[in-house]
Each structure stands twice: as structure tokens, then as C-alpha cells.
Amino acid sequence: MFRLTPQPIDTGAARREILDAGAGGYVSFEGWVRDHNEGRQVTRLEYEAFAELAVKEGERILGEALARYPVKHALCVHRVGSLGLADMAVWVGVSSEHRGEAFEACRYIIDEVKHRVPIWKKEHYVSGDSGWVNCERCAAPAHA
Amino acid sequence: MFRLTPQPIDTGAARREILDAGAGGYVSFEGWVRDHNEGRQVTRLEYEAFAELAVKEGERILGEALARYPVKHALCVHRVGSLGLADMAVWVGVSSEHRGEAFEACRYIIDEVKHRVPIWKKEHYVSGDSGWVNCERCAAPAHA
Amino acid sequence: MRLKVQYYALMREQAGRSEEWLETPAPTPAKLFDELSARYGFTLAREQLKVAVNSEFSDWTRALAAGDAVVFIPPVAGG
Amino acid sequence: MRLKVQYYALMREQAGRSEEWLETPAPTPAKLFDELSARYGFTLAREQLKVAVNSEFSDWTRALAAGDAVVFIPPVAGG
């Protein structure tokens, strides 16, 4: 299941959703807001999602992971709204009978989520300006 | 750092030890007691460690991971004593600037810990008997 | 033809709105984008975007129908 | 020569003890293992084990010294 939330992600609750007595391994990934990106000092981030399609595409990715890797359960929660340094932006958890598949499925999910799910982030910098990540060149007509 | 504990692993506290405002990604692995192994129904496990060497070898593995992969922090906690189904036997956490290295380092650590650290587990089965994992053939002279 | 367009992220800032209903002769998302890009001065080229119609990814050449909801999707950056 | 031997897991069960001090003529861990295997009937062959001396992995052919602490390490199964 893929979820968006404007609240801090409750990893304990998310983890409990994918606990399974038949699973021997569990891998989770957390994406945190870094204090820097591409050489610039970041103070906070804003995440914005096209919610309806984000959930659809996120669910597709989880379905692909479950079909590709023999894992038990997979869950991804993505935060939206304003986040400060070290806040958690995304959480992925996978439980599996064997650990190899759990690592592979978890990595597949976060890689695909980052590339395919319509979520955007705007970085605010110490210098006072801001920019949409992956759109820097496009955002400034002078650079086009 | 590598630690052994007879108490349930406090993943929240362990995670806080490796939080880092310069890290953008965090990968963790948890090994849970499964209700079955190699076709037999398991009821509980006992973990036993050669503590002094286990900690030394665990620390070496973490040092190797930090040298091999450009990650920020790595920590492993292994439980010892009697564990029930779904209890957590081992926890590994890695924080990193980029997620790829965090996945690779975490996987390296758990793979090496399982192969090199002197910790043993005895499975107790529904049928009432028990066996040391990886020593089954050796444990029964009749099979030698 | 009357359509709904929703804007997100950079597109929202450049359009100055989150959504709008508009009357357009554009038969496809591609033509609609050209029309709106001329109006709002989008800095992203069409080749840098994806498009969704009625909350599902779509071809740029799909035939639009009255009442469709169109979203231009700039490069994503989740995680 | 007086040595300490510590036993873990299957070795502990088969030796019936966690540790012991013993007097031995064995010059190496390999010879010490053969001696103790004959005494306790270990079901693991030496090739299946590793050995530690003074809490560090060791060669089987290292020269033992009085006071050394030896541990025979059966196949591990952490995690």
C-alpha cells in the first residue's frame, strides 16, 4: 500500500502493518531532509503531490515489487507539506522470508518512487532563495 | 559499533544514534524469528554468543563497511538469550548521504555478520526436539 | 471545448493558479500545452514534461474530450 | 601445559561444560582438538570448525602457551 500524509510518518505503526510471523527479514528505507544539496545549504523543504495519480502510481510500483520479488509485504508512506532538516520525507518497508529479496524489493520501490511518482520538492536555501529540485535550469528563463 | 544485548532491541534508540543532518538516506535491516525453518515448525530460539570475539569481529565488519562504502554511520545490535516467534534477533542501521551506499553497506554488514560473528542459534520445534542451526548433520553421530 | 487544468509545483507558480476551467480549441494535450505555455510563459519545454488526463498518464496526442482534467507533470523529485 | 578451554553451543553440550582448565601435552590447537574430541566424542570434524586463542581467531597450527584460552568455533548462525 502507498500512502501520502501531511503528518510526521509513524514508522512504528507502519512497521507493525508488515510484521509477519512467516517473515524472517525486514528491510526499511527512510529518506531524510539533508542540510545540503548540490553544494547549497538547505533550511527546509516543501513537498507537493498530485495526490490521486501519486497513490495510483505508488500502488503500481508496490504491485510490481511484490510480483518481481518473493516478499511478504511492502508499504510506502510519503510525507507532503513543509519539512525541516532531518525530517523524514519517505518511508519504505518490506518484510520477506529471506533477506536478499527484502533488500532488492525495498531498493526497487524507493528507486521507482523517486523516478515515477508525481511528487515535487522545493528547497529553501540559507541564502533566502528557493528552487524546485530537478527543475533548476528550467525555472530560470535566462538560463534556457 | 556492534553490540550484544539480552534485552529486546530498542530500534528507536539505535536509530537515533545514527541520525545525521548531513545524511539523506537511512537503511535498516531487522532479522525476526520465523515460525518455520527448512520445513520444520519452530516455537522458539536460543541465541548464544562468544561475546568477546563476537564484538571484535562485529566491529571489524562495521569498519570494513565504513571503509568500503561512503556512508555516515553504521550500527549493529544482536540479541542473545531466549527469543519467541517474531522477536527481533538482529538490527542493522546505516545512514548515508546517498541511498545506494546505505543499501549496499547494510547488506554487506548483515551478510558478513551471519557468516563470521561467533553467534549460534538453537531452534526448538513443535515436535519437542531441537537443533543447532547449521550443525544439524554434525549433531547426530548416526548421520556422520 | 471546456476542460479543467490543474497545476502543480513549478507549473502552478508560473501559471499563478492551482487549477482553472477553460474553453479551448486544442484537440490534444500537446496543443493545449502550447496554448497555455504561450499564455503563461512556462520555462519547461514539453519534452521535459509528462501529461496526465483524468488522473492517469496519457499520450500527448490523445484526443481530448469535454470535461477532461489535464495535468502537466514537471520532472518529479519525491523521496 | 595448563590451558583454559571454553565451549559454546553444540560443543558446550557435547563437552557437558562451558569451560575447563586442563593440563595437556598438545602443542597446537589442532592437537588439543584431537585430544578433546577423543574424550568427549565431538560430532563435528575439525575441518568444520574455526578456533580462537585468547579471544582472537587463530591458525590450527599456532604454538600454544601456558595460560592460553582456547575456543573451538562451530559453524555460526547469527542473525
Side-chain angles (χ1 to χ4, degrees), chain A residues 23-52:
Chain A
Y26 160 89
V27 172
S28 71
F29 172 83
E30 299 179 12
W32 300 335
V33 176
R34 275 189 299 174
D35 58 9
H36 65 286
N37 190 28
E38 297 184 2
R40 307 204 60 184
Q41 296 293 304
V42 174
T43 57
R44 65 183 184 87
L45 285 185
E46 280 165 60
Y47 280 91
E48 181 172 340
F50 173 11
E52 199 174 344

Side-chain angles (χ1 to χ4, degrees), chain B residues 71-128:
Chain B
V71 297
K72 293 274 186 180
H73 306 284
L75 176 61
C76 179
V77 185
H78 204 297
R79 179 101 180 258
V80 291
S82 186
L83 276 76
L85 297 186
D87 281 353
M88 196 188 313
V90 61
W91 179 91
V92 180
V94 176
S95 61
S96 172
E97 193 158 351
H98 300 288
R99 69 187 181 283
E101 293 90 5
F103 275 103
E104 285 159 16
C106 189
R107 176 117 193 225
Y108 177 83
I109 292 164
I110 187 61
D111 285 353
E112 295 298 308
V113 165
K114 283 178 177 252
H115 285 109
R116 291 164 48 186
V117 174
I119 296 175
W120 302 272
K121 66 180 163 208
K122 187 177 196 172
E123 290 178 338
H124 293 263
Y125 305 109
V126 167
S127 51

